[in-house]
Amino acid sequence: NILRCFSLTNGSQLWKFNSENTFLKSSKRNSLIINKNIVYFNNSIGDIIAINSENGSLLWQTPTQSSDIYENSFSLITSDLVAKDDDLIFSNNRNEFYSMSLMNGVMNWKQNINSSIRPVPFGKLIFTISNEGYFVVMDGKTGSIIRITDIFNIFDKNKRNSIAPVGFIVSTNNIILSTNHGRLLTINIESGKTESVLKIDSEKISRPFIFGKKIILVKSNSIIRLN
């Protein structure tokens, strides 16, 4: 829970910011982004914090969890933070999806969606995949849910509870999603239906990355490139 800034020239520490009880650790690495010389990050108890990148001064800090989070901090998993226009969007595994103002941390809206993977803004919409395997399309301004589609209905019902999304990317017409059991799903954005499933491995694979016209995936001992 300590944010540090180092000089690229000589490696010296320029400043540091202690956000909260440093002995607490979350089960997922914290997320950090920089937007217009402001650093935004989350700590292990669910606070969202904005720091001046030049001198490390606190601009604002907004809690998202109640005080009892101290007892349950190990179970909190927050998605990556994503900046879109003037908004900061993120979600967690406690059925909370947030949109906040980048300027002051005031909440724009909050939706009941259980997801710990990075959401993706798409025009005026926001896409996310819930931990249970539902493709959710929201209005980016109001947070209203436009559509929910079950994309894990293609899997065996007895195994479904052990399957979870890892991350996804958005192309022109499709979403490409990876899972914790080594599958790569292609989902049609317009219909929300799963069009294909490619078995990459039997274990967890990374969120897909685009490199040129290729899709790159990472697993425990290799890098995979797909057309």
Side-chain angles (χ1 to χ4, degrees):
N1 288 330
I2 301 177
L3 181 68
R4 302 178 188 269
C5 177
F6 296 93
S7 167
L8 287 172
T9 303
N10 57 25
S12 62
Q13 180 172 290
L14 302 177
W15 52 259
K16 73 174 182 178
F17 178 84
N18 296 339
S19 70
E20 187 59 64
N21 294 315
T22 57
F23 64 88
L24 292 175
K25 295 181 180 180
S26 65
S27 55
K28 179 183 184 295
R29 66 178 179 83
N30 293 341
S31 178
L32 182 150
I33 59 173
I34 299 178
N35 184 275
K36 297 179 181 178
N37 293 322
I38 299 176
V39 182
Y40 301 90
F41 74 104
N42 65 301
N43 63 18
S44 61
I45 64 170
D47 292 351
I48 308 300
I49 303 158
I51 300 291
N52 184 306
S53 64
E54 296 296 324
N55 56 30
S57 61
L58 176 65
L59 300 176
W60 54 260
Q61 182 168 347
T62 301
T64 65
Q65 305 296 311
S66 61
S67 58
D68 63 0
I69 186 64
Y70 289 96
E71 301 176 3
N72 302 301
S73 62
F74 290 100
S75 64
L76 176 66
I77 305 177
T78 303
S79 75
D80 289 341
L81 306 179
V82 177
K84 169 61 175 174
D85 298 327
D86 297 325
D87 302 326
L88 186 70
I89 58 175
F90 61 96
S91 57
N92 61 36
N93 63 336
R94 296 190 173 177
N95 204 35
E96 298 169 334
F97 195 109
Y98 294 92
S99 172
M100 289 182 178
S101 167
L102 284 170
M103 182 67 65
N104 53 26
V106 173
M107 189 183 303
N108 299 320
W109 49 262
K110 178 181 176 182
Q111 186 58 263
N112 295 326
I113 298 173
N114 190 48
S115 177
S116 51
I117 67 173
R118 179 189 300 178
V120 176
F122 188 77
K124 296 182 179 180
L125 305 174
I126 296 174
F127 296 158
T128 193
I129 309 292
S130 76
N131 293 344
E132 298 75 24
Y134 291 90
F135 172 32
V136 183
V137 180
M138 289 175 286
D139 183 296
K141 184 176 182 180
T142 65
S144 300
I145 294 178
I146 298 173
R147 187 183 69 208
I148 299 179
T149 309
D150 185 359
I151 58 174
F152 278 8
N153 58 0
I154 57 173
F155 298 127
D156 188 309
K157 292 182 179 179
N158 296 324
K159 298 179 179 179
R160 176 166 177 162
N161 288 340
S162 64
I163 301 172
V166 174
F168 67 98
I169 54 175
V170 180
S171 65
T172 304
N173 301 308
N174 299 313
I175 279 179
I176 301 172
L177 169 74
S178 59
T179 70
N180 66 339
H181 72 319
R183 303 306 192 268
L184 194 67
L185 281 61
T186 301
I187 303 152
N188 183 277
I189 290 176
E190 186 174 351
S191 66
K193 302 297 183 181
T194 302
E195 295 188 336
S196 67
V197 180
L198 179 64
K199 181 177 179 180
I200 303 295
D201 197 58
S202 297
E203 311 233 344
K204 182 179 179 179
I205 54 177
S206 72
R207 175 180 181 267
F209 299 90
I210 294 292
F211 184 76
K213 295 184 179 180
K214 307 294 184 180
I215 296 175
I216 305 296
L217 298 165
V218 181
K219 61 177 188 174
S220 58
N221 58 358
S222 61
I223 297 174
I224 303 167
R225 184 177 69 180
L226 303 171
N227 291 321

